[in-house]
Amino acid sequence: MKKKLNKLLKKYNEDGYVRLGKIVTKKYSGLLSNRALSLMSGKKTYEGMFFQLEGEKGQYKKIDKKSEIFVGPSKRYRKIKDLEYDNLFFKVIKNKYLEFFSNNLIGKDASCMRAMILNKPAKHSSKLKFHQDVSDNWNMSGKPNFTFWMSLNGATKKKGCLKILEKSHLMGKIGDGHFISKSNLDKFKKLKVKYLELKSGEAIIFNNFLLHGSEHNKTTRMRLAFTVCLMDAKIKHKRFAKTYPKIFGKGCLKYNDIKNLTKIPKKTYKD
């Protein structure tokens, strides 16, 4: 197993991402999909959990970035965060691949910037432009390191699977990071766009400097994914000087800590 993991790590360093293969069974992937739908419908609730609706008619610019609460049953929630506190998703976060990559790329102590569902609704889903998952404008004392991205119900090109520019991570942070200017993006014209189609339960890990995005969902089924972004546990929110939920290392979250939670603990970015 160690040889396989080292091979995956080498591929990750070279290309900026690596396919991990199947992480959970079809049955467990189904449980996760059902949990996502239960959260969207309000059948399963956590007080204080983050919800964000898709923009009107699938327009990214019309997404209300200030709203982060459940506003009623809907299959149009594009983001649901705080899943490190959900018992089903927590078990996935603690998988051997995440722990191995965390130990090798971050160190023994790693925290979670976010653990969330990414949904592309069946109709009028937004297109996500190429971007990096780092930014100088985020109120953090450091940069997140890598992201685990797992499909819950199949991610095809038609459904809006992840697309990447292979090896773009080698450029490091571009400008201020996150969404980059057209002139900066033009520098990557020679790099081929790759569409990373995944079956249910399959996952990848990608470097947060890697340019990535996704197209509209053109099918009649929602595209559900689960993502976890990890970083050094020393990183704090600059304004409130709080660290983020610790996933690996001394004093990290344990299953028994979260298995009976009904309320999300106080957030790092709130007083």
Side-chain angles (χ1 to χ4, degrees):
M1 187 64 191
K2 189 176 180 181
K3 189 176 179 181
K4 178 187 175 183
L5 290 171
N6 284 325
K7 191 175 179 180
L8 291 174
L9 181 62
K10 183 174 182 290
K11 183 75 172 168
Y12 166 90
N13 286 325
E14 289 172 354
D15 296 336
Y17 79 100
V18 67
R19 290 178 177 272
L20 302 178
K22 204 165 189 66
I23 301 299
V24 299
T25 64
K26 185 177 180 180
K27 182 179 178 181
Y28 201 81
S29 189
L31 286 174
L32 296 174
S33 294
N34 288 336
R35 175 58 55 88
L37 292 172
S38 292
L39 291 169
M40 291 182 190
S41 69
K43 290 179 181 177
K44 174 72 175 177
T45 61
Y46 292 95
E47 184 183 339
M49 178 167 268
F50 179 104
F51 287 82
Q52 184 185 85
L53 281 166
E54 179 62 278
E56 184 184 341
K57 293 185 179 179
Q59 296 181 64
Y60 186 85
K61 64 182 180 181
K62 291 194 174 182
I63 294 168
D64 185 355
K65 300 288 183 68
K66 292 180 181 179
S67 176
E68 54 180 68
I69 60 171
F70 182 79
V71 293
S74 175
K75 289 185 178 181
R76 293 191 58 75
Y77 287 108
R78 68 184 289 268
K79 285 184 179 180
I80 303 176
K81 295 185 185 179
D82 305 315
L83 294 178
E84 63 271 31
Y85 298 115
D86 177 89
N87 63 321
L88 295 182
F89 285 99
F90 183 82
K91 288 180 178 180
V92 180
I93 293 173
K94 289 288 191 174
N95 75 71
K96 61 189 175 187
Y97 294 99
L98 264 175
E99 186 170 16
F100 172 81
F101 274 81
S102 181
N103 284 338
N104 281 274
L105 298 173
I106 298 171
K108 290 182 179 180
D109 300 302
S111 63
C112 176
M113 175 187 164
R114 59 193 176 202
M116 64 181 177
I117 290 162
L118 284 176
N119 171 39
K120 278 193 181 285
K123 291 182 180 179
H124 304 303
S125 65
S126 57
K127 176 180 177 178
L128 195 55
K129 295 189 296 184
F130 278 117
H131 63 285
Q132 298 178 306
D133 280 344
V134 296
S135 175
D136 289 341
N137 300 313
W138 293 347
N139 221 346
M140 300 166 67
S141 64
K143 301 283 190 294
N145 193 290
F146 69 87
T147 297
F148 169 87
W149 199 105
M150 185 177 81
S151 171
L152 299 185
N153 66 340
T156 62
K157 189 175 179 180
K158 274 193 172 184
K159 283 176 85 173
C161 68
L162 201 67
K163 64 177 183 178
I164 58 108
L165 288 175
E166 192 176 75
K167 301 184 188 297
S168 57
H169 70 298
L170 297 174
M171 290 290 289
K173 180 174 61 65
I174 304 164
D176 292 337
H178 204 42
F179 288 113
I180 63 174
S181 66
K182 186 180 182 303
S183 58
N184 273 328
L185 189 58
D186 285 343
K187 297 173 185 177
F188 296 91
K189 279 184 176 179
K190 291 183 179 179
L191 295 182
K192 187 178 180 181
V193 177
K194 281 197 168 184
Y195 292 86
L196 305 182
E197 295 190 315
L198 297 170
K199 294 178 181 177
S200 300
E202 290 184 344
I204 67 164
I205 280 178
F206 66 86
N207 189 303
N208 276 34
F209 287 128
L210 187 76
L211 286 167
H212 63 284
S214 58
E215 299 291 336
H216 302 287
N217 181 358
K218 299 173 183 176
T219 74
T220 57
R221 293 186 65 213
M222 61 205 310
R223 187 222 68 186
L224 291 169
F226 173 53
T227 77
V228 184
C229 179
L230 294 186
M231 59 190 185
D232 193 313
K234 295 188 188 74
I235 292 175
K236 294 182 178 181
H237 189 279
K238 285 182 178 179
R239 182 179 174 188
F240 299 114
K242 294 179 185 176
T243 54
Y244 292 74
K246 196 170 186 180
I247 301 301
F248 298 115
K250 189 176 180 181
C252 69
L253 284 175
K254 304 288 187 185
Y255 183 77
N256 284 340
D257 299 330
I258 62 94
K259 67 178 182 179
N260 296 317
L261 280 184
T262 57
K263 181 179 180 180
I264 303 301
K266 207 167 207 179
K267 306 200 180 180
T268 302
Y269 56 89
K270 288 190 176 181
D271 202 354

